[in-house]
């Protein structure tokens, strides 16, 4: 292996980093919004909404993300005239929007289930105690349910963000020049797959290292109640002893 | 009981079923201000359900509940189930009626002090500094002020229940409901909680206590109510009901719980 070549490759792959970050960030944020609506539907108690959310989660969790990307990018291309009639062709023509849409819809399915788990993990007794002291629904949600649910959901949600960082590499299949896309291109120019993929892998590894640490720090900050009890004040001992 | 003053709580012909199980079959009960009523009964007698109806944690199917003279307005909702007419009224009444639960139900993500000031600050909207000062006084009173910055998970059951009592007191309640407050505690921790409850009774607070502690019922409460299968079977001052119970079921209950 050639250190100088790897260094150069690394720098060229970094050119794809902004797009990788862009797809990750945008799909995680948009996915969160969709997931909130899905979780709300799921817990609404309205059968039609509940079943819609269940079916959505079933389909998007049960099929590969790659298939979803192909369906949206290539599959919808078959309906070009109708999409043009609806003024949507400008959106579905662009691989960026198709990749972002697929990533968003996919992560929303997983995140809605993570949220549901977090909300359902809030002990009923603690909710009852809040109702018993006269908290309105809004206050109850804001002061008791959400803080507890977020702490419970955070580890699972961290996992999902890590998966999304890696999932953006699938966008390379529909011509997006993010890190993996650039790696492909370099390989076709140089046929040096090992060095190039090691560099690409290292970039994802570094990204996810940072994500992991950020989630860990947040978890630590939000969970003092799950740690050991604060130690009592150290007793002052005479220095001479 | 005198009819001259408004009862702290008045329950009229309370009925509640869960599915086909009729838990409360017409219960009426008036508690005068300052009374400490022990509610006894074997499991399934409806005593916890009755208590939970008083602050609307359970909605009664029929009957009337008035807290300090204010009747909680109920109506038949969709599907024929009763519901409060005005949630705001229920929330307002709840903020004057404190409840202590069998399983403490402290908020796990808040410290002891934060638990105590939560409702005064956010429900009653009183100044935070004032609430903290009061909370520390209450925690001193129940003997756990040194634990104020601990989280509930770091406390023993008895300490958690005393924190829960401090949380209830912080609302300056007109009425306190205790739902088997010592039933989840190890035997050696029961005493510390009962001592706090006794001191509350002695300062003239109105308390309804669902309990299995016969000693508390006998020595501390001013009145004992015995429920059986959803109706009041025995009702009177402890001295009377324990020495000469009129209901054979209560007689049996006493002999079983001696």
């Amino acid at each position: 292996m050639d250190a100088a070549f790897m260094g150069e490759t690394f720098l060229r792959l970094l050119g794809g980093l902004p797009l990788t970050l862009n797809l990750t960030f945008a799909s995680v944020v948009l996915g969160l919004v969709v997931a909130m609506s899905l979780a709300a539907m799921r817990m609404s108690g309205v059968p039609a909404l509940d079943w819609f959310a269940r079916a959505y989660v079933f389909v998007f969790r049960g099929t590969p993300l790659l298939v979803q990307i192909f369906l949206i990018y290539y599959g919808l291309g078959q309906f070009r005239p109708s999409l043009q009639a609806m003024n949507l062709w400008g959106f579905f023509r662009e691989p960026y929007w198709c990749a972002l849409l697929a990533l968003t819809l996919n992560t929303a399915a997983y995140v809605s289930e993570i949220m549901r788990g977090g909300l359902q993990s809030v002990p009923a007794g603690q909710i009852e105690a809040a109702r018993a002291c006269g908290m309105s629904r809004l206050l109850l949600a804001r002061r008791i349910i959400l803080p507890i649910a977020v702490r419970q959901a955070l580890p699972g949600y961290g996992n999902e963000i890590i998966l999304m960082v890696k999932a953006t590499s699938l966008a390379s299949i529909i011509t997006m020049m993010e890190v993996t896309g650039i790696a492909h291109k370099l390989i076709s120019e140089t046929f040096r797959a090992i060095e190039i993929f090691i560099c690409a892998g290292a970039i994802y590894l570094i990204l996810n290292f940072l994500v992991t640490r950020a989630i860990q720090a947040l978890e630590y900050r939000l969970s003092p109640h799950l740690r050991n009890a604060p130690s009592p004040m150290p007793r002052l001992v005479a220095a001479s002893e | 009981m005198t009819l001259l003053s408004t009862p702290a709580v008045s329950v009229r012909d309370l009925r509640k079923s869960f599915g086909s199980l009729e838990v409360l079959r017409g219960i009426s009960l008036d508690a005068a201000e300052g009374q400490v009523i022990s509610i006894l009964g074997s499991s399934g007698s409806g005593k916890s359900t009755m208590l939970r109806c008083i602050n609307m944690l359970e909605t009664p199917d029929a009957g009337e509940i008035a807290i300090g003279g204010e009747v909680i307005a109920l109506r038949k909702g969709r599907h024929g189930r009763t519901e409060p007419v005005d949630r705001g009224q229920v929330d307002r009444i709840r903020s004057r009626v404190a409840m202590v639960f069998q399983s403490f139900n402290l908020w796990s993500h808040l410290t002891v002090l934060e638990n105590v000031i939560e409702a005064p600050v956010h429900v009653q909207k009183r100044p935070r500094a004032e609430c903290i000062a009061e909370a520390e006084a209450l925690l001193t009173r129940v003997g756990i002020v040194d634990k104020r910055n601990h989280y509930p998970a770091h406390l023993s059951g008895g300490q958690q229940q005393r924190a829960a009592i401090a949380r209830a007191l912080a609302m300056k309640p007109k009425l306190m409901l205790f739902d088997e407050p010592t039933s989840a505690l190890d035997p050696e921790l029961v005493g510390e909680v009962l001592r706090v409850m006794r001191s509350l009774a002695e300062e003239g607070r109105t308390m309804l206590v669902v309990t299995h502690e016969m000693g508390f019922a006998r020595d501390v409460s001013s009145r004992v109510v015995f429920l059986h299968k959803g109706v009041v079977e025995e009702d009177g001052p402890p001295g009377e009901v324990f020495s000469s119970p009129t209901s054979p079921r209560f007689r049996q209950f006493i002999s079983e719980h001696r």
Side-chain angles (χ1 to χ4, degrees), chain A residues 197-221:
Chain A
F197 273 141
I198 285 178
C199 287
I203 289 176
Y204 288 106
L205 204 55
I206 293 165
L207 275 184
N208 278 332
F209 173 75
L210 297 175
V211 171
T212 316
R213 295 317 294 255
I215 296 283
Q216 260 175 20
L218 192 60
E219 229 182 292
Y220 185 83
R221 241 186 66 122

PDB file of all heavy atoms in Angstrom, chain A residues 197-221:
ATOM      1  N   PHE A 197     -11.310   1.959  -0.418  1.00  0.00           N
ATOM      2  CA  PHE A 197     -12.409   1.613   0.495  1.00  0.00           C
ATOM      3  C   PHE A 197     -11.994   1.714   1.957  1.00  0.00           C
ATOM      4  O   PHE A 197     -12.813   2.010   2.822  1.00  0.00           O
ATOM      5  CB  PHE A 197     -12.967   0.222   0.171  1.00  0.00           C
ATOM      6  CG  PHE A 197     -14.034   0.274  -0.895  1.00  0.00           C
ATOM      7  CD1 PHE A 197     -14.114  -0.704  -1.879  1.00  0.00           C
ATOM      8  CD2 PHE A 197     -14.963   1.311  -0.922  1.00  0.00           C
ATOM      9  CE1 PHE A 197     -15.093  -0.642  -2.856  1.00  0.00           C
ATOM     10  CE2 PHE A 197     -15.940   1.375  -1.898  1.00  0.00           C
ATOM     11  CZ  PHE A 197     -16.002   0.396  -2.881  1.00  0.00           C
ATOM     12  N   ILE A 198     -10.696   1.454   2.237  1.00  0.00           N
ATOM     13  CA  ILE A 198     -10.229   1.655   3.617  1.00  0.00           C
ATOM     14  C   ILE A 198     -10.391   3.125   4.010  1.00  0.00           C
ATOM     15  O   ILE A 198     -10.865   3.458   5.103  1.00  0.00           O
ATOM     16  CB  ILE A 198      -8.762   1.197   3.774  1.00  0.00           C
ATOM     17  CG1 ILE A 198      -8.709  -0.332   3.810  1.00  0.00           C
ATOM     18  CG2 ILE A 198      -8.137   1.769   5.053  1.00  0.00           C
ATOM     19  CD1 ILE A 198      -7.322  -0.904   3.907  1.00  0.00           C
ATOM     20  N   CYS A 199     -10.026   4.008   3.084  1.00  0.00           N
ATOM     21  CA  CYS A 199     -10.173   5.447   3.373  1.00  0.00           C
ATOM     22  C   CYS A 199     -11.638   5.817   3.558  1.00  0.00           C
ATOM     23  O   CYS A 199     -11.993   6.553   4.492  1.00  0.00           O
ATOM     24  CB  CYS A 199      -9.586   6.272   2.230  1.00  0.00           C
ATOM     25  SG  CYS A 199      -7.801   6.241   2.215  1.00  0.00           S
ATOM     26  N   ALA A 200     -12.496   5.287   2.674  1.00  0.00           N
ATOM     27  CA  ALA A 200     -13.931   5.602   2.787  1.00  0.00           C
ATOM     28  C   ALA A 200     -14.465   5.089   4.122  1.00  0.00           C
ATOM     29  O   ALA A 200     -15.176   5.801   4.852  1.00  0.00           O
ATOM     30  CB  ALA A 200     -14.695   4.982   1.615  1.00  0.00           C
ATOM     31  N   GLY A 201     -14.113   3.842   4.454  1.00  0.00           N
ATOM     32  CA  GLY A 201     -14.560   3.259   5.718  1.00  0.00           C
ATOM     33  C   GLY A 201     -14.100   4.103   6.890  1.00  0.00           C
ATOM     34  O   GLY A 201     -14.866   4.328   7.845  1.00  0.00           O
ATOM     35  N   ALA A 202     -12.839   4.607   6.812  1.00  0.00           N
ATOM     36  CA  ALA A 202     -12.293   5.401   7.919  1.00  0.00           C
ATOM     37  C   ALA A 202     -13.105   6.678   8.113  1.00  0.00           C
ATOM     38  O   ALA A 202     -13.347   7.102   9.248  1.00  0.00           O
ATOM     39  CB  ALA A 202     -10.838   5.738   7.649  1.00  0.00           C
ATOM     40  N   ILE A 203     -13.553   7.250   7.021  1.00  0.00           N
ATOM     41  CA  ILE A 203     -14.333   8.492   7.150  1.00  0.00           C
ATOM     42  C   ILE A 203     -15.650   8.228   7.884  1.00  0.00           C
ATOM     43  O   ILE A 203     -16.034   8.969   8.800  1.00  0.00           O
ATOM     44  CB  ILE A 203     -14.587   9.109   5.753  1.00  0.00           C
ATOM     45  CG1 ILE A 203     -13.274   9.662   5.207  1.00  0.00           C
ATOM     46  CG2 ILE A 203     -15.647  10.210   5.831  1.00  0.00           C
ATOM     47  CD1 ILE A 203     -13.354  10.215   3.805  1.00  0.00           C
ATOM     48  N   TYR A 204     -16.338   7.130   7.501  1.00  0.00           N
ATOM     49  CA  TYR A 204     -17.590   6.789   8.210  1.00  0.00           C
ATOM     50  C   TYR A 204     -17.322   6.486   9.678  1.00  0.00           C
ATOM     51  O   TYR A 204     -18.080   6.849  10.562  1.00  0.00           O
ATOM     52  CB  TYR A 204     -18.273   5.594   7.536  1.00  0.00           C
ATOM     53  CG  TYR A 204     -18.886   5.951   6.207  1.00  0.00           C
ATOM     54  CD1 TYR A 204     -18.297   5.542   5.014  1.00  0.00           C
ATOM     55  CD2 TYR A 204     -20.046   6.719   6.138  1.00  0.00           C
ATOM     56  CE1 TYR A 204     -18.850   5.875   3.788  1.00  0.00           C
ATOM     57  CE2 TYR A 204     -20.602   7.055   4.916  1.00  0.00           C
ATOM     58  CZ  TYR A 204     -20.000   6.639   3.745  1.00  0.00           C
ATOM     59  OH  TYR A 204     -20.548   6.981   2.544  1.00  0.00           O
ATOM     60  N   LEU A 205     -16.162   5.810   9.903  1.00  0.00           N
ATOM     61  CA  LEU A 205     -15.817   5.450  11.277  1.00  0.00           C
ATOM     62  C   LEU A 205     -15.615   6.706  12.125  1.00  0.00           C
ATOM     63  O   LEU A 205     -16.105   6.792  13.261  1.00  0.00           O
ATOM     64  CB  LEU A 205     -14.544   4.605  11.257  1.00  0.00           C
ATOM     65  CG  LEU A 205     -14.298   3.663  12.437  1.00  0.00           C
ATOM     66  CD1 LEU A 205     -15.477   2.722  12.629  1.00  0.00           C
ATOM     67  CD2 LEU A 205     -13.020   2.868  12.216  1.00  0.00           C
ATOM     68  N   ILE A 206     -14.915   7.677  11.582  1.00  0.00           N
ATOM     69  CA  ILE A 206     -14.661   8.920  12.327  1.00  0.00           C
ATOM     70  C   ILE A 206     -15.984   9.639  12.596  1.00  0.00           C
ATOM     71  O   ILE A 206     -16.259  10.103  13.703  1.00  0.00           O
ATOM     72  CB  ILE A 206     -13.695   9.838  11.543  1.00  0.00           C
ATOM     73  CG1 ILE A 206     -12.317   9.188  11.473  1.00  0.00           C
ATOM     74  CG2 ILE A 206     -13.597  11.212  12.206  1.00  0.00           C
ATOM     75  CD1 ILE A 206     -11.384   9.817  10.439  1.00  0.00           C
ATOM     76  N   LEU A 207     -16.822   9.712  11.534  1.00  0.00           N
ATOM     77  CA  LEU A 207     -18.129  10.370  11.711  1.00  0.00           C
ATOM     78  C   LEU A 207     -18.919   9.722  12.830  1.00  0.00           C
ATOM     79  O   LEU A 207     -19.449  10.400  13.720  1.00  0.00           O
ATOM     80  CB  LEU A 207     -18.945  10.256  10.417  1.00  0.00           C
ATOM     81  CG  LEU A 207     -18.721  11.295   9.334  1.00  0.00           C
ATOM     82  CD1 LEU A 207     -19.696  11.045   8.185  1.00  0.00           C
ATOM     83  CD2 LEU A 207     -18.944  12.688   9.912  1.00  0.00           C
ATOM     84  N   ASN A 208     -18.974   8.402  12.786  1.00  0.00           N
ATOM     85  CA  ASN A 208     -19.796   7.713  13.780  1.00  0.00           C
ATOM     86  C   ASN A 208     -19.173   7.749  15.166  1.00  0.00           C
ATOM     87  O   ASN A 208     -19.880   7.703  16.164  1.00  0.00           O
ATOM     88  CB  ASN A 208     -20.066   6.272  13.348  1.00  0.00           C
ATOM     89  CG  ASN A 208     -21.219   6.226  12.371  1.00  0.00           C
ATOM     90  OD1 ASN A 208     -22.098   7.085  12.415  1.00  0.00           O
ATOM     91  ND2 ASN A 208     -21.212   5.254  11.479  1.00  0.00           N
ATOM     92  N   PHE A 209     -17.839   7.853  15.216  1.00  0.00           N
ATOM     93  CA  PHE A 209     -17.188   8.041  16.508  1.00  0.00           C
ATOM     94  C   PHE A 209     -17.699   9.344  17.136  1.00  0.00           C
ATOM     95  O   PHE A 209     -18.074   9.390  18.303  1.00  0.00           O
ATOM     96  CB  PHE A 209     -15.667   8.090  16.325  1.00  0.00           C
ATOM     97  CG  PHE A 209     -14.933   8.441  17.581  1.00  0.00           C
ATOM     98  CD1 PHE A 209     -14.795   7.510  18.599  1.00  0.00           C
ATOM     99  CD2 PHE A 209     -14.392   9.712  17.762  1.00  0.00           C
ATOM    100  CE1 PHE A 209     -14.126   7.832  19.763  1.00  0.00           C
ATOM    101  CE2 PHE A 209     -13.723  10.043  18.921  1.00  0.00           C
ATOM    102  CZ  PHE A 209     -13.589   9.109  19.929  1.00  0.00           C
ATOM    103  N   LEU A 210     -17.747  10.389  16.310  1.00  0.00           N
ATOM    104  CA  LEU A 210     -18.219  11.684  16.824  1.00  0.00           C
ATOM    105  C   LEU A 210     -19.694  11.603  17.238  1.00  0.00           C
ATOM    106  O   LEU A 210     -20.085  12.118  18.289  1.00  0.00           O
ATOM    107  CB  LEU A 210     -18.023  12.772  15.762  1.00  0.00           C
ATOM    108  CG  LEU A 210     -16.562  13.025  15.380  1.00  0.00           C
ATOM    109  CD1 LEU A 210     -16.468  14.037  14.237  1.00  0.00           C
ATOM    110  CD2 LEU A 210     -15.778  13.528  16.591  1.00  0.00           C
ATOM    111  N   VAL A 211     -20.506  10.925  16.408  1.00  0.00           N
ATOM    112  CA  VAL A 211     -21.931  10.786  16.749  1.00  0.00           C
ATOM    113  C   VAL A 211     -22.076  10.046  18.075  1.00  0.00           C
ATOM    114  O   VAL A 211     -22.820  10.474  18.972  1.00  0.00           O
ATOM    115  CB  VAL A 211     -22.692  10.025  15.638  1.00  0.00           C
ATOM    116  CG1 VAL A 211     -24.109   9.678  16.089  1.00  0.00           C
ATOM    117  CG2 VAL A 211     -22.736  10.859  14.363  1.00  0.00           C
ATOM    118  N   THR A 212     -21.328   8.946  18.209  1.00  0.00           N
ATOM    119  CA  THR A 212     -21.416   8.147  19.435  1.00  0.00           C
ATOM    120  C   THR A 212     -21.067   8.977  20.654  1.00  0.00           C
ATOM    121  O   THR A 212     -21.762   8.935  21.671  1.00  0.00           O
ATOM    122  CB  THR A 212     -20.441   6.957  19.356  1.00  0.00           C
ATOM    123  OG1 THR A 212     -20.546   6.371  18.073  1.00  0.00           O
ATOM    124  CG2 THR A 212     -20.752   5.916  20.407  1.00  0.00           C
ATOM    125  N   ARG A 213     -19.959   9.739  20.532  1.00  0.00           N
ATOM    126  CA  ARG A 213     -19.546  10.542  21.685  1.00  0.00           C
ATOM    127  C   ARG A 213     -20.583  11.608  22.035  1.00  0.00           C
ATOM    128  O   ARG A 213     -20.859  11.856  23.193  1.00  0.00           O
ATOM    129  CB  ARG A 213     -18.185  11.214  21.416  1.00  0.00           C
ATOM    130  CG  ARG A 213     -17.015  10.268  21.251  1.00  0.00           C
ATOM    131  CD  ARG A 213     -17.017   9.148  22.257  1.00  0.00           C
ATOM    132  NE  ARG A 213     -16.821   9.590  23.624  1.00  0.00           N
ATOM    133  CZ  ARG A 213     -15.701   9.448  24.305  1.00  0.00           C
ATOM    134  NH1 ARG A 213     -14.669   8.838  23.763  1.00  0.00           N
ATOM    135  NH2 ARG A 213     -15.599   9.890  25.527  1.00  0.00           N
ATOM    136  N   ALA A 214     -21.156  12.220  21.000  1.00  0.00           N
ATOM    137  CA  ALA A 214     -22.164  13.255  21.260  1.00  0.00           C
ATOM    138  C   ALA A 214     -23.372  12.656  21.971  1.00  0.00           C
ATOM    139  O   ALA A 214     -23.884  13.226  22.945  1.00  0.00           O
ATOM    140  CB  ALA A 214     -22.594  13.906  19.940  1.00  0.00           C
ATOM    141  N   ILE A 215     -23.829  11.496  21.501  1.00  0.00           N
ATOM    142  CA  ILE A 215     -24.982  10.848  22.129  1.00  0.00           C
ATOM    143  C   ILE A 215     -24.646  10.459  23.567  1.00  0.00           C
ATOM    144  O   ILE A 215     -25.451  10.657  24.495  1.00  0.00           O
ATOM    145  CB  ILE A 215     -25.399   9.593  21.328  1.00  0.00           C
ATOM    146  CG1 ILE A 215     -25.876   9.991  19.943  1.00  0.00           C
ATOM    147  CG2 ILE A 215     -26.470   8.798  22.081  1.00  0.00           C
ATOM    148  CD1 ILE A 215     -27.253  10.572  19.883  1.00  0.00           C
ATOM    149  N   GLN A 216     -23.441   9.924  23.754  1.00  0.00           N
ATOM    150  CA  GLN A 216     -23.017   9.541  25.101  1.00  0.00           C
ATOM    151  C   GLN A 216     -23.039  10.737  26.048  1.00  0.00           C
ATOM    152  O   GLN A 216     -23.517  10.638  27.178  1.00  0.00           O
ATOM    153  CB  GLN A 216     -21.593   8.987  25.072  1.00  0.00           C
ATOM    154  CG  GLN A 216     -21.527   7.485  25.095  1.00  0.00           C
ATOM    155  CD  GLN A 216     -20.096   6.988  24.946  1.00  0.00           C
ATOM    156  OE1 GLN A 216     -19.141   7.729  25.183  1.00  0.00           O
ATOM    157  NE2 GLN A 216     -19.961   5.741  24.545  1.00  0.00           N
ATOM    158  N   ALA A 217     -22.503  11.856  25.561  1.00  0.00           N
ATOM    159  CA  ALA A 217     -22.446  13.052  26.406  1.00  0.00           C
ATOM    160  C   ALA A 217     -23.855  13.507  26.769  1.00  0.00           C
ATOM    161  O   ALA A 217     -24.144  13.848  27.922  1.00  0.00           O
ATOM    162  CB  ALA A 217     -21.694  14.171  25.681  1.00  0.00           C
ATOM    163  N   LEU A 218     -24.750  13.470  25.771  1.00  0.00           N
ATOM    164  CA  LEU A 218     -26.136  13.886  26.015  1.00  0.00           C
ATOM    165  C   LEU A 218     -26.798  12.953  27.022  1.00  0.00           C
ATOM    166  O   LEU A 218     -27.480  13.393  27.950  1.00  0.00           O
ATOM    167  CB  LEU A 218     -26.889  13.869  24.684  1.00  0.00           C
ATOM    168  CG  LEU A 218     -28.266  14.538  24.672  1.00  0.00           C
ATOM    169  CD1 LEU A 218     -28.141  15.993  25.054  1.00  0.00           C
ATOM    170  CD2 LEU A 218     -28.895  14.405  23.288  1.00  0.00           C
ATOM    171  N   GLU A 219     -26.574  11.657  26.825  1.00  0.00           N
ATOM    172  CA  GLU A 219     -27.151  10.665  27.723  1.00  0.00           C
ATOM    173  C   GLU A 219     -26.673  10.900  29.153  1.00  0.00           C
ATOM    174  O   GLU A 219     -27.454  10.842  30.095  1.00  0.00           O
ATOM    175  CB  GLU A 219     -26.698   9.278  27.259  1.00  0.00           C
ATOM    176  CG  GLU A 219     -27.822   8.291  27.147  1.00  0.00           C
ATOM    177  CD  GLU A 219     -27.296   6.935  26.733  1.00  0.00           C
ATOM    178  OE1 GLU A 219     -26.828   6.825  25.574  1.00  0.00           O
ATOM    179  OE2 GLU A 219     -27.330   6.012  27.560  1.00  0.00           O
ATOM    180  N   TYR A 220     -25.383  11.168  29.285  1.00  0.00           N
ATOM    181  CA  TYR A 220     -24.820  11.381  30.611  1.00  0.00           C
ATOM    182  C   TYR A 220     -25.483  12.585  31.275  1.00  0.00           C
ATOM    183  O   TYR A 220     -25.883  12.553  32.421  1.00  0.00           O
ATOM    184  CB  TYR A 220     -23.312  11.592  30.511  1.00  0.00           C
ATOM    185  CG  TYR A 220     -22.637  11.699  31.860  1.00  0.00           C
ATOM    186  CD1 TYR A 220     -22.280  10.563  32.569  1.00  0.00           C
ATOM    187  CD2 TYR A 220     -22.365  12.946  32.419  1.00  0.00           C
ATOM    188  CE1 TYR A 220     -21.673  10.654  33.808  1.00  0.00           C
ATOM    189  CE2 TYR A 220     -21.759  13.056  33.661  1.00  0.00           C
ATOM    190  CZ  TYR A 220     -21.415  11.906  34.348  1.00  0.00           C
ATOM    191  OH  TYR A 220     -20.830  12.014  35.572  1.00  0.00           O
ATOM    192  N   ARG A 221     -25.606  13.657  30.480  1.00  0.00           N
ATOM    193  CA  ARG A 221     -26.187  14.885  31.011  1.00  0.00           C
ATOM    194  C   ARG A 221     -27.635  14.700  31.438  1.00  0.00           C
ATOM    195  O   ARG A 221     -28.096  15.287  32.406  1.00  0.00           O
ATOM    196  CB  ARG A 221     -26.131  15.972  29.931  1.00  0.00           C
ATOM    197  CG  ARG A 221     -25.334  17.184  30.296  1.00  0.00           C
ATOM    198  CD  ARG A 221     -25.499  18.203  29.203  1.00  0.00           C
ATOM    199  NE  ARG A 221     -26.886  18.673  29.161  1.00  0.00           N
ATOM    200  CZ  ARG A 221     -27.239  19.932  29.298  1.00  0.00           C
ATOM    201  NH1 ARG A 221     -26.316  20.847  29.477  1.00  0.00           N
ATOM    202  NH2 ARG A 221     -28.491  20.300  29.255  1.00  0.00           N
TER     203      ARG A 221
END
